[in-house]
């Protein structure tokens, strides 16, 4: 008599292995999203603080802010992908995030008291985690896919997409969900602070 698996036993075994692999993948994805969100939130806060401290006393304030300038001042973080000698950077290109999206740090030529940081191609799950981790302290405005999700109403808040200067808008999950839904079909979004 020969022993072995019947076809039914083999299919049950495959189903159990498939469920286990799917569970591991989901747990790994959540862990990666949390790690990426922490990194992005830290990057945004570090760049914002660096720009504020470097340019606040400048006569032009933030009008000269750009990727090349913040690179040369050592403000860009090591988790971003760019040439460390700052060659080949322009005011708006040459810096990539870990999702291979452009990172653009730019000043406003009309309102010298404001600057923006935009990260493109950020997975929606990461955007949600970033908003929860970063908060709104010290931020004038936050836009996702050119939709205002937060505005302090302070001068310069018009810089983040359609956030309206002088009109405060509290941050809410509903507003963020609407902004995420208006993004690309790839499940990625653009974030501007």
């Amino acid at each position: 008599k020969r022993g072995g698996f019947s076809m039914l036993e083999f299919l049950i075994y495959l189903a159990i292995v498939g469920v286990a692999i799917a569970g591991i993948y989901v747990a790994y994805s959540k862990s990666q999203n949390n790690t990426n969100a922490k990194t992005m939130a830290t990057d945004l806060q570090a760049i914002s603080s660096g720009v504020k401290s470097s340019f606040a006393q400048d006569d032009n304030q933030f009008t000269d802010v750009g990727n090349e300038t913040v690179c040369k001042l050592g403000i860009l973080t090591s988790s971003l992908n760019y040439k460390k000698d700052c060659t080949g950077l322009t005011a708006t290109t040459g810096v990539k995030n870990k999702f291979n999206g452009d990172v653009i740090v730019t000043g406003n030529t009309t309102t010298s008291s404001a600057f923006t940081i935009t990260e493109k191609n950020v997975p929606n799950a990461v955007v949600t985690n970033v908003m929860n981790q970063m908060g709104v302290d010290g931020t004038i405005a936050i836009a996702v896919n050119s939709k205002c999700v937060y505005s302090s109403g302070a001068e310069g808040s018009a810089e983040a997409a359609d956030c309206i200067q002088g009109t405060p808008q509290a941050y809410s999950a509903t507003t963020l969900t609407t902004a995420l839904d208006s993004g690309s079909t790839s499940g990625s979004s653009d974030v501007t602070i």
Side-chain angles (χ1 to χ4, degrees):
K1 182 176 179 183
R2 292 184 174 184
F5 289 115
S6 70
M7 184 59 100
L8 180 61
E9 290 171 328
F10 182 69
L11 290 174
I12 291 172
Y13 170 77
L14 284 178
I16 291 170
V17 169
V19 168
I21 289 172
I24 290 168
Y25 175 76
V26 167
Y28 176 75
S29 292
K30 283 184 180 179
S31 173
Q32 281 299 105
N33 286 342
N34 286 337
T35 300
N36 290 336
K38 285 179 186 174
T39 300
M40 185 176 164
T42 301
D43 287 348
L44 289 170
Q45 290 168 334
I47 293 169
S48 180
S49 295
V51 168
K52 286 175 185 174
S53 65
S54 296
F55 289 91
Q57 301 305 317
D58 192 336
D59 289 340
N60 296 325
Q61 264 195 314
F62 302 114
T63 55
D64 297 329
V65 173
N67 283 1
E68 184 177 13
T69 310
V70 296
C71 179
K72 288 179 179 177
L73 290 171
I75 296 171
L76 295 177
T77 62
S78 61
S79 63
L80 298 173
N81 186 11
Y82 62 97
K83 291 183 180 178
K84 303 305 182 212
D85 63 359
C86 304
T87 59
L89 299 182
T90 67
T92 59
T93 61
V95 181
K96 299 278 187 186
N97 59 25
K98 56 183 13 188
F99 315 108
N100 202 31
D102 289 324
V103 176
I104 304 165
V105 184
T106 186
N108 183 338
T109 55
T110 56
T111 304
S112 64
S113 62
F115 66 94
T116 60
I117 306 167
T118 301
E119 291 214 26
K120 296 180 176 254
N121 200 37
V122 180
N124 289 346
V126 174
V127 172
T128 303
N129 286 346
V130 167
M131 295 298 109
N132 291 332
Q133 290 178 22
M134 193 175 81
V136 295
D137 291 341
T139 303
I140 293 174
I142 301 171
V144 175
N145 296 322
S146 298
K147 304 286 184 202
C148 188
V149 296
Y150 166 77
S151 174
S152 68
E155 180 183 351
S157 61
E159 285 309 292
D162 65 354
C163 294
I164 300 171
Q165 201 166 291
T167 307
Q169 177 178 323
Y171 169 76
S172 74
T174 304
T175 306
L176 179 59
T177 302
T178 303
L180 290 171
D181 289 343
S182 70
S184 68
T185 56
S186 67
S188 296
S189 295
D190 298 343
V191 179
T192 302
I193 67 164

